[in-house]
Amino acid sequence: MESKKDTVYHKKQASYHDKRNILNKAHLIEPIIRHRIQDSIFYKQYLFLSNESTILPIIIDQVKYIFGTESNGRPSPFLCCLLRLLELEPKKEIIGAYLTQMGYNEFKYLTALSLIYIRLVYPSQEIYEIFDGYFKDSRKLRMKLKSPIFDEKSGLPVRYKLTHMDEWVDHLLTKERVIDIILPRLIPRIVFVQQDILPPRKYHIQETSKVEIDSDESEPEEEEAENDSYESDSD
């Protein structure tokens, strides 16, 4: 019989725990940030007793840019509304209505908020299927910078930068941390492509480049036709 001194204990490699399987989706946000949001004035004033319907006018009226937390720890309205959505856990039909607004697509920050909620909660296959429809969306979004950048011409601080909806979707798919939140891991898209579940990702910049090439090729032909018609008129 082996003694306790001779026994060797080997540590097992920690398996990745998918945070999307937790019961309370609000725990997808780290405790420090979550507690700061719940202690913020904006959350207590606007979001504490809100539900799926009353949160809509708050998002439309109060969310004017995308941002995480300030350098002093104060959370943005965008991040506060995201936590409240995670606490409410709306049904997929409600999130679909938030996302498209019944086909009108009028409130772009509501769409951006719904996309990051989907990225945090939904499984990988559904995320790819939904996000594929927004790679052609070129609506402008305003993002606040962590620290201002001074303009060389005017010397004034620049606190915001412009981005687009397709860039926002690409950040959600490719980056590990967005607006101070660690995103859950995604199953690589190539796994679904090899199983014939999803098509390969389309890069629409290739389509635009083909259209530009075709237009450039058609311009010389039009010029030659105009020259031929001019010569025939002169004869």
Side-chain angles (χ1 to χ4, degrees), residues 153-234:
K153 294 182 180 179
S154 61
L156 298 175
V158 178
R159 302 183 183 275
Y160 298 90
K161 69 174 183 179
L162 283 179
T163 184
H164 298 83
M165 190 70 73
D166 56 348
E167 296 180 49
W168 173 244
V169 171
D170 187 69
H171 289 337
L172 294 177
L173 289 175
T174 56
K175 291 191 174 183
E176 295 182 356
R177 181 182 286 269
V178 175
I179 59 169
D180 301 323
I181 297 175
I182 299 175
L183 300 176
R185 292 183 185 177
L186 277 176
I187 299 175
R189 189 187 182 106
I190 191 171
V191 176
F192 298 107
V193 174
Q194 292 173 350
Q195 296 176 0
D196 293 332
I197 298 176
L198 292 175
R201 177 177 172 179
K202 292 183 179 180
Y203 293 91
H204 300 286
I205 189 172
Q206 297 176 357
E207 297 179 1
T208 56
S209 61
K210 288 181 181 179
V211 172
E212 292 176 356
I213 292 172
D214 294 338
S215 62
D216 294 337
E217 291 178 352
S218 62
E219 286 179 358
E221 295 178 356
E222 293 177 357
E223 292 178 357
E224 291 177 359
E226 291 177 358
N227 294 332
D228 294 339
S229 62
Y230 177 75
E231 291 177 357
S232 61
D233 293 337
S234 61

Side-chain angles (χ1 to χ4, degrees), residues 4 22 28 40 68 110 117 124 132 165 176 178 185 200:
K4 293 183 179 180
I22 60 177
L28 290 168
S40 64
L110 178 59
Y117 177 86
S124 299
D132 282 349
M165 190 70 73
E176 295 182 356
V178 175
R185 292 183 185 177

